[in-house]
């Protein structure tokens, strides 16, 4: 049967990839930033390749924030994060008609801890295939 360690591990890896539809991957942000940089560039390039190869697919980019700051502020920051990813994808040759954006702000937290590990997981864009 499943030992506790195994079941925890499964859960952990689910959490790591946010609410993103595979084979795309979430893109993570620094605190209070909507810039896509460092290793996140490779992640968004992976998503761009997938979307370009699947011209019938529609993707909703969902901006998320950690819970620090006001709800209003985080909705605006989530929107900037989603728009930032959309602009990046369009720059990489993705058809903007395949993309929509939404901001969840701090409404859809994945991890609820008050620590940097939880906060870092919550500062992300998810890429969700919409029918």
């Amino acid at each position: 049967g499943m030992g506790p360690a195994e079941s925890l591990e499964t859960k952990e890896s689910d959490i790591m990839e946010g609410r993103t539809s595979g084979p795309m991957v979430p893109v993570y942000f620094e605190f209070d930033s909507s810039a896509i940089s460092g290793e996140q560039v490779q992640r968004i390039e992976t998503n761009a390749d997938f979307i370009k190869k699947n011209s019938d697919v529609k993707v909703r980019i969902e901006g998320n924030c950690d819970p620090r700051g006001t709800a209003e502020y985080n909705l605006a920051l989530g929107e900037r994060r989603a728009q930032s990813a959309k602009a990046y994808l369009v720059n990489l040759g993705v058809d903007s008609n395949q993309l929509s954006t939404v901001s969840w702000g701090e409404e859809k937290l994945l991890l609820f801890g008050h620590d940097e590990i939880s906060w870092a997981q919550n500062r992300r864009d998810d890429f969700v295939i919409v029918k």
Side-chain angles (χ1 to χ4, degrees):
M2 292 271 283
E6 280 176 275
S7 63
L8 185 68
E9 204 175 313
T10 316
K11 222 178 166 63
E12 182 79 2
S13 68
D14 290 348
I15 286 173
M16 287 303 288
E17 293 307 293
R19 297 187 176 86
T20 291
S21 307
M24 292 181 292
V25 289
V27 167
Y28 297 96
F29 296 92
E30 296 297 321
F31 176 64
D32 202 24
S33 170
S34 58
I36 295 168
S37 58
E39 63 203 35
Q40 303 309 314
V41 168
Q42 217 168 359
R43 296 174 75 88
I44 200 161
E45 285 172 347
T46 296
N47 297 350
D49 290 342
F50 171 79
I51 301 168
K52 285 192 283 191
K53 283 192 190 105
N54 295 274
S55 55
D56 54 332
V57 161
K58 297 257 196 283
V59 174
R60 184 175 63 230
I61 305 166
E62 303 185 347
N64 296 276
C65 301
D66 73 35
R68 294 174 287 175
T70 66
E72 293 79 7
Y73 183 86
N74 284 330
L75 272 175
L77 179 57
E79 180 64 24
R80 287 200 299 279
R81 285 176 173 161
Q83 293 294 345
S84 174
K86 181 180 179 179
Y88 210 107
L89 288 170
V90 169
N91 266 346
L92 291 172
V94 173
D95 181 347
S96 64
N97 294 321
Q98 287 179 260
L99 305 173
S100 60
T101 60
V102 67
S103 173
W104 298 129
E106 60 186 76
E107 287 169 38
K108 294 202 172 190
L109 297 176
L110 276 182
L111 296 187
F112 292 89
H114 293 276
D115 56 80
E116 185 47 44
I117 288 169
S118 298
W119 289 332
Q121 287 295 309
N122 288 321
R123 295 194 298 265
R124 69 178 197 290
D125 281 341
D126 279 321
F127 298 81
V128 180
I129 294 173
V130 286
K131 298 294 170 251

